[in-house]
Amino acid sequence: MAPTLAEPFCDSSALIDFVINQGNGVKGLSEMGLKALPKQYIQPLEERMCMTNILAQESIPIIDMSKWEDPQVAKSICDAASKWGFFQIVNHAAPVEVLENVKDATYRFFGLPAELKNKYSKEHSTSNNVRFGTSFTPQAEKAFEWKDYLSLFYVSEEEASALWPPVCREQVLDYMKKSEVVIKQLLQVLMKGLNVDEVDETKKSLLMGSMRTNLNYYPICPNPELTVGVGRHSDVSTLTILLQDEIGGLFVRGNQGDDWIHVPPIKGSLVINVGDALQILSNGRYRSVEHRVVANGSKNRISVPIFVNPRPGDMIGPLPELVASGEKPIYKQVLYSDYVKHFFRKAHDGKKTVEFAEL
């Protein structure tokens, strides 16, 4: 039963029950037509987006992948990964209709009644690999983030067929499969940029041994300026491949420190960013960069990232080829699953996670 509108959530336990336990998510809050943001979502001043810190003239590189083996294109990919940590790719190998289909499937999943989505929540899901949730780590956060998500960790086609929600399963699998070509091309180029010429099976499994896709839903927010869609963080992946819709709202930390750059939606493009795992493996040559998503007061927004990761049991540290050539390692070897646990144990806190691996 939805609370009445007057002061629906003075009480945090009523809000948590409605949003988390009943599976309504922030989508449920948004659809109540709230005139004001519940206080549990009001971010401290320093975490809100200050619009005067946006670099309107700056933009992350846009790279045409149609000739991805061309040395100039390869150089622009490696330069973007070193300087910006983020770039957009166009004319890549993932067909536009596959991207459109997964966007439609995302809307279909979030259009399900709360009780159906709630079957995939932490309390009810039959597997840790399928998780419907809201915010980031509600139990560790002082203020919640304005986002719902479905997280799908890929183990095998059989497991996906058995456990993933039927309304989006085929489309997500197709998106992951078709993106794999792009991921392999990018990793081949980035490894070559580190003078690692041979990506053998061991290396391939270290770079992309496990994959997870999130379907993210950012509903209309009554006071978008007071909250965030996603707080400042860098990803723990090797690479993240992000499909965003036409709404926009993703901001990347600029090179000047306090400034932010909007990543404009380009139809058919994919946004690529370096994750912490690749920063560590490349001994800091490629940078994972802080990014965040603002809430929107007039439109619902979706995005579908694929997180390309080492396997949980892999040790990550500077690649042996880099250390062998005389480079001084700036990171120690850490178990990847320990690194990820450390990330999910706390609220989003910018680039702090990478300190876990520093020597």
Side-chain angles (χ1 to χ4, degrees):
M1 174 68 185
T4 56
L5 260 187
E7 258 301 333
F9 300 111
C10 332
D11 174 5
S12 273
S13 62
L15 177 108
I16 285 166
D17 187 55
F18 178 76
V19 173
I20 298 174
N21 303 340
Q22 295 174 33
N24 289 293
V26 282
K27 182 173 187 280
L29 287 180
S30 177
E31 288 171 353
M32 289 170 70
L34 298 177
K35 294 288 173 273
L37 188 72
K39 64 180 188 300
Q40 296 84 347
Y41 288 89
I42 297 176
Q43 293 287 333
L45 207 52
E46 65 276 11
E47 292 305 331
R48 298 179 207 165
M49 182 56 127
C50 173
M51 290 303 173
T52 54
N53 287 0
I54 291 165
L55 297 171
Q57 285 71 45
E58 287 274 27
S59 106
I60 61 168
I62 296 163
I63 298 171
D64 185 334
M65 287 287 284
S66 54
K67 295 190 173 67
W68 67 277
E69 287 178 293
D70 180 306
Q72 272 316 105
V73 177
K75 183 182 183 306
S76 59
I77 291 169
C78 296
D79 287 351
S82 312
K83 184 186 172 195
W84 299 91
F86 261 84
F87 52 99
Q88 290 207 67
I89 57 172
V90 294
N91 299 323
H92 50 75
V96 172
E97 61 272 21
V98 171
L99 307 185
E100 292 303 317
N101 290 344
V102 84
K103 286 198 271 190
D104 293 344
T106 301
Y107 273 112
R108 275 203 302 280
F109 175 77
F110 288 102
L112 292 173
E115 57 274 17
L116 286 183
K117 289 183 290 200
N118 210 21
K119 287 194 337 198
Y120 303 101
S121 69
K122 189 176 182 177
E123 284 62 43
H124 304 114
S125 182
T126 50
S127 163
N128 268 341
N129 297 334
V130 181
R131 178 66 46 83
F132 165 66
T134 190
S135 193
F136 174 62
T137 306
Q139 63 281 9
E141 291 168 319
K142 290 189 179 70
F144 297 151
E145 300 179 347
W146 193 260
K147 176 186 102 164
D148 297 331
Y149 66 87
L150 174 71
S151 182
L152 301 165
F153 184 86
Y154 180 82
V155 174
S156 67
E157 197 115 359
E158 294 70 51
E159 187 189 277
S161 297
L163 301 178
W164 290 11
V167 291
C168 57
R169 179 172 58 216
E170 297 309 321
Q171 294 78 7
V172 175
L173 282 170
D174 199 24
Y175 169 52
M176 290 179 94
K177 206 172 288 161
K178 299 293 195 307
S179 299
E180 208 169 305
V181 183
V182 183
I183 293 161
K184 285 177 178 162
Q185 290 171 351
L186 290 168
L187 288 172
Q188 191 176 317
V189 167
L190 290 165
M191 286 301 108
K192 223 174 182 154
L194 300 173
N195 296 318
V196 177
D197 289 332
E198 228 247 291
V199 181
D200 57 14
E201 279 310 306
T202 315
K203 192 80 88 252
K204 186 181 151 205
S205 111
L206 176 65
L207 294 166
M208 54 180 295
S210 73
M211 290 200 200
R212 184 162 64 85
T213 301
N214 272 18
L215 309 186
N216 294 329
Y217 189 83
Y218 304 92
I220 294 169
C221 179
N223 302 102
E225 69 291 348
L226 299 180
T227 190
V228 294
V230 178
R232 300 176 301 112
H233 70 288
S234 59
D235 294 345
V236 292
S237 56
T238 304
L239 285 180
T240 302
I241 314 300
L242 175 78
L243 171 64
Q244 55 170 353
D245 65 11
E246 67 292 345
I247 309 298
L250 169 65
F251 287 83
V252 174
R253 177 76 81 183
N255 292 324
Q256 306 313 311
D258 221 17
D259 297 321
W260 293 87
I261 297 163
H262 185 234
V263 179
I266 298 172
K267 198 168 170 57
S269 80
L270 290 167
V271 179
I272 310 295
N273 65 280
V274 171
D276 292 354
L278 185 56
Q279 176 169 319
I280 293 163
L281 290 162
S282 71
N283 205 29
R285 293 223 223 146
Y286 298 139
R287 299 171 54 212
S288 70
V289 169
E290 256 184 82
H291 50 288
R292 65 199 308 186
V293 174
V294 296
N296 191 305
S298 58
K299 292 189 166 109
N300 300 317
R301 175 180 183 265
I302 56 163
S303 70
V304 192
I306 298 174
F307 300 100
V308 180
N309 308 310
R311 291 169 309 180
D314 284 330
M315 296 296 291
I316 59 167
L319 290 165
E321 290 89 339
L322 301 180
V323 182
S325 69
E327 242 179 71
K328 195 174 170 344
I330 51 178
Y331 302 106
K332 58 190 176 197
Q333 296 285 329
V334 295
L335 182 65
Y336 186 62
S337 60
D338 287 347
Y339 190 86
V340 173
K341 276 188 200 120
H342 177 65
F343 176 68
F344 282 106
R345 206 176 281 137
K346 54 193 179 36
H348 279 141
D349 57 3
K351 280 278 291 180
K352 289 217 176 86
T353 311
V354 84
E355 292 169 8
F356 183 78
E358 284 171 357
L359 277 167

